[in-house]
């Protein structure tokens, strides 16, 4: 029957077919609906911008934002169900597209969750708007806001508390003589060393956090 529990799992009833829908299937169905809505809204938003119908474009943009957040929640729940809830988030900050993509691909292949931005301003925006990363891998020489300034802001901000910061420019990041990166790597990066040391540091930090709790 509808709402009946089977162990720790609850299924939802589909009245038209009189069958039980597993929770995972229900979440994936909702996710597909949100993704379809995003695709349609993006298409309509582009048309509205071309017509300079900016009010409707704003409505669509907010609809996309809501559906994107809902999709992220559903994806996180499905990852938890699949036993992939314990992963590390890494933000890669690199204005050289090829270099950034190389680092990101190496990390993704190693099982990390990776976000990519092209400069320090975008990295700061990401830090404040998105789920806090476990680590930031940044180049020193960046447009708009360089790696040293990014490190200073991250170290002084509550949003940057506990975030592991890695320099990939060959020297330790120093800003105002007191802010340094946790790890440094010279270019070209040894990808095996990067993955091994990053995982080791993040795992050790997580173990310490678990002990403190």
């Amino acid at each position: 029957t509808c709402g009946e529990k089977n162990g720790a799992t609850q299924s939802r009833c589909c009245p038209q077919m009189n069958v039980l829908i597993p929770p995972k299937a229900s979440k994936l169905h909702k996710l597909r609906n949100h993704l379809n809505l995003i695709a349609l809204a993006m298409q309509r938003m582009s048309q509205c911008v071309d017509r300079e119908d900016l009010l409707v474009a704003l409505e669509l943009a907010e609809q996309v934002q809501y559906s994107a957040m809902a999709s992220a929640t559903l994806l996180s729940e499905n990852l938890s169900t699949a036993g992939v809830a314990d992963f590390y988030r890494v933000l890669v900050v690199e204005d050289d597209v090829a270099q950034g993509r190389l680092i990101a691909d190496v990390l993704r292949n190693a099982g990390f969750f990776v976000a990519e931005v092209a400069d320090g301003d975008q990295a700061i925006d990401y830090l404040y708007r998105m789920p806090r990363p476990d680590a930031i891998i940044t180049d020193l020489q960046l447009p708009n806001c360089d790696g040293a300034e990014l490190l200073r802001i991250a170290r002084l901000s509550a949003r940057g508390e506990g975030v592991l910061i890695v320099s990939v420019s060959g020297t330790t990041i120093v800003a105002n003589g007191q802010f340094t990166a946790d790890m440094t790597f010279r270019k070209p990066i040894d990808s095996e060393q990067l993955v091994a040391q990053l995982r080791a540091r993040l795992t050790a930090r997580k173990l310490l956090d678990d002990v403190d709790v």
Side-chain angles (χ1 to χ4, degrees):
T1 59
C2 192
E4 193 174 14
K5 290 186 178 180
N6 179 14
T9 303
Q10 185 176 9
S11 295
R12 182 173 62 84
C13 181
C14 180
Q16 294 87 350
M17 301 179 64
N18 196 27
V19 295
L20 294 178
I21 301 176
K24 183 177 180 180
S26 177
K27 289 177 181 177
L28 289 175
H29 179 71
K30 290 179 181 178
L31 175 60
R32 292 188 184 97
N33 285 341
H34 280 298
L35 294 177
N36 287 335
L37 188 150
I38 290 171
L40 291 172
M42 290 291 289
Q43 184 178 13
R44 287 188 58 204
M45 186 164 55
S46 177
Q47 295 169 352
C48 288
V49 170
D50 289 341
R51 297 195 305 266
E52 296 188 3
D53 192 349
L54 302 185
L55 182 60
V56 175
L58 177 59
E59 292 174 359
L60 292 166
E62 291 184 355
Q63 191 175 47
V64 168
Q65 184 180 29
Y66 167 76
S67 288
M69 291 174 63
S71 297
T73 299
L74 289 166
L75 285 167
S76 296
E77 291 172 354
N78 278 288
L79 282 173
S80 299
T81 303
V84 197
D86 192 14
F87 58 88
Y88 296 116
R89 294 177 178 270
V90 181
L91 175 62
V92 175
V93 190
E94 174 61 75
D95 61 317
D96 185 313
V97 175
Q99 288 275 356
R101 183 54 51 85
L102 177 63
I103 296 170
D105 286 347
V106 165
L107 294 173
R108 287 194 182 99
N109 290 335
F112 291 91
F113 175 102
V114 184
E116 303 172 62
V117 296
D119 61 41
D121 282 347
Q122 292 178 15
I124 293 167
D125 189 56
Y126 184 97
L127 187 62
Y128 279 91
R129 291 177 180 268
M130 304 301 290
R132 179 164 48 187
D134 298 292
I136 296 175
I137 298 178
T138 182
D139 189 13
L140 270 178
Q141 303 298 322
L142 296 169
N144 302 324
C145 170
D146 63 20
E149 180 63 9
L150 169 60
L151 175 56
R152 186 188 70 82
I153 292 172
R155 290 291 193 232
L156 293 175
S157 167
R159 288 289 299 168
E161 183 177 355
V163 177
L164 187 77
I165 300 183
V166 182
S167 160
V168 293
S169 291
T171 58
T172 302
I173 300 176
V174 178
N176 298 331
Q178 57 180 328
F179 301 104
T180 59
D182 297 292
M183 300 192 309
T184 62
F185 287 87
R186 292 184 180 278
K187 293 182 178 180
I189 298 171
D190 184 325
S191 58
E192 291 185 1
Q193 285 292 321
L194 173 64
V195 169
Q197 292 188 37
L198 185 61
R199 194 188 305 280
R201 291 289 292 270
L202 290 175
T203 301
R205 181 167 291 186
K206 185 178 186 303
L207 290 173
L208 287 175
D209 290 342
D210 291 343
V211 169
D212 291 340
V213 172

